[in-house]
Amino acid sequence: MWGIVALAFLVRAFALWFLDSENRVRAFDLWTFGYEATEIGRSLADGLGFGNQWMRPHGPWSEPSGATAWLPPVYPALLGELMRLLGGVTPQFALILFTLQAAISATTCALVAALGSALGNARVGRVAGLAFALYPVSVWNSIYTVWDTTLAAFALTAVLWLLFRYGRGAPLRRAAWLGACFGCLLWVNPAPLSIAPVAAIVIAHGGSRIGARGLRSAAIFCVVAFAVCAPWMLRNLRAVGAFSMRTNLGVELAVGNNDDANGHYQRARHPSFNADEFASYRALGEVPYAAARKSEALAWITSHPVRFVQLSLKRVWIFWMGESPWSDPRRDGNKRPLDDLNSWVKWVQHALCGLLSIAGAVALARRRFEGRALLAMLLCYPIAYYVTHFMERYRFPIEP
């Protein structure tokens, strides 16, 4: 297992050197280097608090937008601390960040192997750990992507390993411990909240059926997970007026459901790129603005139900299988599909990983309770993306 981890780290270190990722900061401003995450990190490093997520030199985004709950706190706080220690976003900052992410990604390979054992097949776990060590998407995200993607994949894999290794029929104390771990995961990325009901069922399912003891353990799991999240939610209530982990769902719903929607993220309708929407955000405030966009989206969905179903089915398809360069509007330099080899390579990786993961989960589900739980988690995890919009990195946390 640790040989696989060492191999994974060496592959990522070589890619970091070969692609000269740390010097990418010289070609990008702070916004294009890491978008909301780096802007919030800078705000923290400058002592301005968790906010100003779209700040950049040119108007109207040069105006501060105040406190935010747009992102969960862990990754922006990590960036902010590195900026404070290293004097901003410098090549040294990028080198340390990407090296740290490479180490996290390499360690995820060990968690993948351990998860295989917890699911009942250690050999499959080792093969999967080796595959993840060499998986180009994993290498790329760790040494180039400035987002919580790599950290979220590590945290989710760790929690699932603990859940399948120690969770089934857990007594109250262990259920509380697992609930604390799940709550910590949501501080990194709240998207796994969609699998919480399945996790609770795993804890409650001690044998052939769910009894009163199992229900008590599942309840403790949920209560402790909520308690761990409560401090951040209380902060958000005080700072922006929303008792929640994040505030952006209404905006993403509107960005993905409109007359121009195609299943992908539409930057022209997002306040981080649309000056009018940003002005509306600043005038209304974060929570009222998100509520207004949610109402806008729901009105469109109500008046276009067939179109919404079509878009949702397309998002399900592209989440698991991707969209080939023949139909994908995003291509390298607007090349023709036949000329864009990069897009074909990316699509084949995405489609194979999605197809094989579902096929493997179905095969395991036919034999073991853990397989049925894993399949349910894979299908439930993307619910928010099925109804909003999709980018490839959204799937990465469950790819291990």
Side-chain angles (χ1 to χ4, degrees):
M1 184 185 297
W2 295 111
I4 293 174
V5 172
L7 172 64
F9 184 77
L10 289 174
V11 169
R12 284 151 180 76
F14 174 78
L16 177 58
W17 167 79
F18 183 76
L19 295 174
D20 198 23
S21 295
E22 69 271 23
N23 284 314
R24 184 165 63 103
V25 299
R26 303 186 191 278
F28 295 95
D29 58 25
L30 194 66
W31 166 251
T32 52
F33 182 69
Y35 299 101
E36 287 94 341
T38 47
E39 291 297 347
I40 294 174
R42 174 168 66 175
S43 182
L44 288 168
D46 291 344
L48 301 177
F50 199 92
N52 302 316
Q53 71 271 30
W54 299 312
M55 199 80 175
R56 44 198 192 268
H58 55 278
W61 296 279
S62 57
E63 297 295 327
S65 54
T68 187
W70 207 262
L71 296 182
V74 170
Y75 191 74
L78 169 65
L79 298 183
E81 187 62 18
L82 288 178
M83 289 181 203
R84 187 184 67 82
L85 293 173
L86 299 168
V89 176
T90 62
Q92 292 75 25
F93 163 89
L95 179 61
I96 291 176
L97 174 65
F98 292 140
T99 301
L100 178 61
Q101 291 187 168
I104 292 171
S105 180
T107 307
T108 304
C109 300
L111 291 173
V112 170
L115 179 58
S117 295
L119 291 170
N121 196 319
R123 184 179 64 85
V124 167
R126 289 193 296 272
V127 171
L130 179 59
F132 192 75
L134 303 175
Y135 183 41
V137 176
S138 173
V139 177
W140 174 265
N141 279 325
S142 66
I143 58 93
Y144 203 87
T145 302
V146 184
W147 202 255
D148 64 23
T149 312
T150 295
L151 183 58
F154 168 85
L156 179 56
T157 308
V159 167
L160 292 187
W161 167 62
L162 291 171
L163 184 67
F164 286 118
R165 177 67 178 83
Y166 301 106
R168 189 172 179 183
L172 294 180
R173 182 176 296 180
R174 192 186 304 164
W177 176 61
L178 291 170
C181 293
F182 195 87
C184 292
L185 166 64
L186 301 182
W187 279 66
V188 176
N189 190 321
L193 186 60
S194 59
I195 70 170
V198 185
I201 291 173
V202 171
I203 288 174
H205 200 288
S208 59
R209 63 185 182 88
I210 297 176
R213 177 185 172 185
L215 291 175
R216 288 194 296 271
S217 293
I220 287 294
F221 168 82
C222 295
V223 168
V224 173
F226 176 80
V228 170
C229 295
W232 179 248
M233 297 168 71
L234 287 170
R235 175 267 173 195
N236 292 342
L237 179 63
R238 185 180 72 250
V240 300
F243 187 66
S244 62
M245 293 297 291
R246 292 184 71 175
T247 54
N248 64 326
L249 179 59
V251 178
E252 310 307 334
L253 199 63
V255 168
N257 297 282
N258 50 70
D259 292 337
D260 301 321
N262 59 11
H264 296 287
Y265 171 75
Q266 292 180 287
R267 59 190 292 173
R269 291 180 175 267
H270 199 275
S272 58
F273 291 98
N274 185 304
D276 293 335
E277 292 295 342
F278 178 73
S280 178
Y281 170 92
R282 292 190 71 236
L284 294 174
E286 184 162 294
V287 174
Y289 172 77
R293 296 300 303 274
K294 180 181 177 181
S295 298
E296 170 193 330
L298 292 177
W300 186 90
I301 291 169
T302 302
S303 59
H304 301 82
V306 175
R307 177 63 177 150
F308 173 70
V309 171
Q310 291 172 338
L311 281 170
S312 296
L313 291 175
K314 181 176 182 179
R315 287 184 285 249
V316 171
W317 175 261
I318 62 177
F319 184 93
W320 292 106
M321 297 300 297
E323 195 167 45
S324 79
W326 287 111
S327 57
D328 195 336
R330 306 159 304 145
R331 286 193 283 272
D332 187 9
N334 296 317
K335 293 179 181 178
R336 296 182 309 156
L338 284 176
D339 298 331
D340 192 3
L341 178 61
N342 291 341
S343 289
W344 284 102
V345 170
K346 182 184 74 170
W347 173 66
V348 167
Q349 289 181 81
H350 189 87
L352 280 177
C353 184
L355 179 65
L356 293 175
S357 64
I358 291 295
V362 168
L364 186 62
R366 297 175 62 184
R367 299 195 299 270
R368 298 176 62 92
F369 165 78
E370 289 83 358
R372 293 189 288 277
L374 182 66
L375 178 61
M377 289 176 178
L378 287 175
L379 296 179
C380 289
Y381 177 84
I383 286 175
Y385 307 126
Y386 292 160
V387 298
T388 55
H389 54 78
F390 177 67
M391 289 191 284
E392 280 80 2
R393 62 178 168 81
Y394 293 172
R395 197 184 75 179
F396 185 73
I398 61 171
E399 288 187 355

